[in-house]
Amino acid sequence: MPKHTQFARITHTGPVISVLLTGGIALLILIGNPSRAVGQDHVGQYEQADIEFGVRLYGANCLRCHAETGDAVAGVDLRSGAYNRASSDRELMELLRTGIPGTAMPPNNFSDSELTGLVSYLRTMRDIDLSAVALGDNTRGSVLFTGKGACATCHRVNGLGPRTAPDLSDIGSIRTAATLQRSLLDPTGSMLPINRPVSATLSDGTVINGRRLNEDTYTIQVIDQDERLRSLDKSELRELSALTESPMPPATELLDTEEIADLLAYLLTLKGLE
Ligand code: HEC
Ligand code: HEC
């Protein structure tokens, strides 16, 4: 069998992808994914968008027992930032998920993104000026998503909309508030490797641009620009590369700060159809 090797390498400021096609054997190597800091405010290690999401969740789930001051339950001072029953953030998340059996502290079915929000708020509770926290309005955000923000021209939610961009039906439970905010403000800088648009050149020279749905050693499945599902045999490709520029415009092109907060509040309500 003739040995046929191709090496396509894409280098840029962020992660490096190397695609090696060797007689049908492909290696996809992802090296280094420096976390980017864009529109990112910190209170210590916690990010503003996560804290604000936590404030909202606290209001809906915790306030009635622990109060705004965090000290309404005897022997518990949430604002102290230190707890009897949990020391690490991971333990605290576990406690919020399981509740405390045998006490009034209830179990909850929080997503990882919600737990990140709650813990970010609990840990910073004593430093936060609540009057300065501006929470978005998810109802307005949902209108912006299909209207002025034009998000629905590329994204699908709960079965509606095109497949050319990632389906956002459960994005609110799989990404944290801070991650989503970065995606909105700087799509290219925060693009995940799996979401990179791909460009495949077939042996006859035809170029297929699309979005990667799946990839294994021998094949790659993409949705092309016409929303057709294509399964490509890697050994028959002349070239396979991933683009590093996001096709998504930053939300600031169409929306102001308040509108982006509304959109973020809406994205955080998307938890998939269950
Ligand atoms: C129905 C009332 C109730 C609700 C709602 C509730 N809690 Fe509690 N929580 C309690 C009680 C009571 C305790 C103390 C249990 C014990 O140790 O005896 C407690 C304990 C805790 C502790 C442990 C404190 C420590 O020092 O170990 C944390 C943290 C906590 N709650 C956070 C929360 C958060 C965050 C929420 C909302 C997601 C919440 N709680 C919702 C009643 C409640
Ligand atoms: C021109 C098409 C297009 C438009 C318009 C667009 N997006 Fe995107 N979006 C994409 C593509 C393609 C990706 C995947 C690549 C990336 O992450 O940048 C993406 C990624 C995302 C992600 C990250 C997904 C993940 O897996 O973490 C979010 C969140 C998002 N878009 C939300 C929005 C919102 C909200 C709007 C409206 C303000 C919008 N997009 C407008 C094409 C678009």
Side-chain angles (χ1 to χ4, degrees):
M1 192 174 101
K3 200 161 180 229
H4 168 77
T5 305
Q6 267 197 32
F7 191 55
R9 189 182 169 91
I10 306 134
T11 318
H12 59 111
T13 53
V16 178
I17 310 177
S18 308
V19 184
L20 178 66
L21 301 167
T22 312
I25 313 283
L27 276 176
L28 180 64
I29 311 156
L30 300 172
I31 314 157
N33 194 358
S35 58
R36 304 288 289 265
V38 178
Q40 195 172 318
D41 295 315
H42 284 281
V43 178
Q45 69 191 95
Y46 304 98
E47 295 183 56
Q48 190 66 23
D50 289 326
I51 296 170
E52 292 182 2
F53 187 33
V55 170
R56 163 158 294 160
L57 293 165
Y58 186 88
N61 298 286
C62 323
L63 196 70
R64 66 194 158 97
C65 293
H66 291 283
E68 196 169 300
T69 50
D71 60 2
V73 170
V76 174
D77 181 6
L78 297 183
R79 202 169 261 187
S80 69
Y83 313 102
N84 304 320
R85 296 179 186 266
S87 53
S88 68
D89 284 359
R90 184 166 292 277
E91 285 167 0
L92 192 50
M93 287 183 182
E94 196 51 33
L95 185 153
L96 299 182
R97 221 194 290 264
T98 59
I100 304 174
T103 77
M105 174 68 196
N108 257 297
N109 196 14
F110 292 122
S111 68
D112 288 347
S113 146
E114 289 170 325
L115 289 170
T116 301
L118 280 165
V119 167
S120 300
Y121 177 47
L122 289 181
R123 293 292 198 196
T124 54
M125 220 175 164
R126 71 190 137 171
D127 306 316
I128 295 290
D129 174 7
L130 280 181
S131 64
V133 171
L135 298 176
D137 177 317
N138 62 287
T139 313
R140 280 202 305 258
S142 125
V143 174
L144 291 166
F145 188 88
T146 45
K148 192 177 170 192
C151 318
T153 58
C154 292
H155 290 283
R156 189 176 184 82
V157 170
N158 296 339
L160 284 179
R163 291 187 173 82
T164 41
D167 188 320
L168 300 180
S169 300
D170 62 354
I171 203 75
S173 59
I174 61 174
R175 304 272 183 262
T176 64
T179 306
L180 288 173
Q181 188 182 54
R182 277 195 292 278
S183 288
L184 296 183
L185 298 177
D186 179 17
T188 291
S190 50
M191 185 159 55
L192 297 169
I194 188 68
N195 281 340
R196 289 202 180 96
V198 291
S199 180
T201 310
L202 309 185
S203 47
D204 68 359
T206 315
V207 175
I208 296 175
N209 292 314
R211 186 167 67 82
R212 172 170 36 197
L213 285 182
N214 246 310
E215 180 168 1
D216 62 26
T217 312
Y218 304 106
T219 65
I220 176 167
Q221 284 80 41
V222 300
I223 289 269
D224 71 13
Q225 19 339 15
D226 303 319
E227 282 194 58
R228 271 176 315 190
L229 175 66
R230 310 282 294 252
S231 185
L232 308 172
D233 192 336
K234 285 184 184 171
S235 66
E236 288 166 11
L237 296 181
R238 196 182 289 170
E239 201 183 325
L240 177 62
S241 58
L243 311 179
T244 53
E245 180 94 358
S246 174
M248 173 168 153
T252 44
E253 279 186 15
L254 294 171
L255 306 172
D256 64 26
T257 309
E258 197 183 322
E259 290 169 325
I260 293 173
D262 293 342
L263 206 47
L264 181 59
Y266 167 65
L267 293 178
L268 287 164
T269 66
L270 299 177
K271 300 185 205 171
L273 290 173
E274 278 181 273

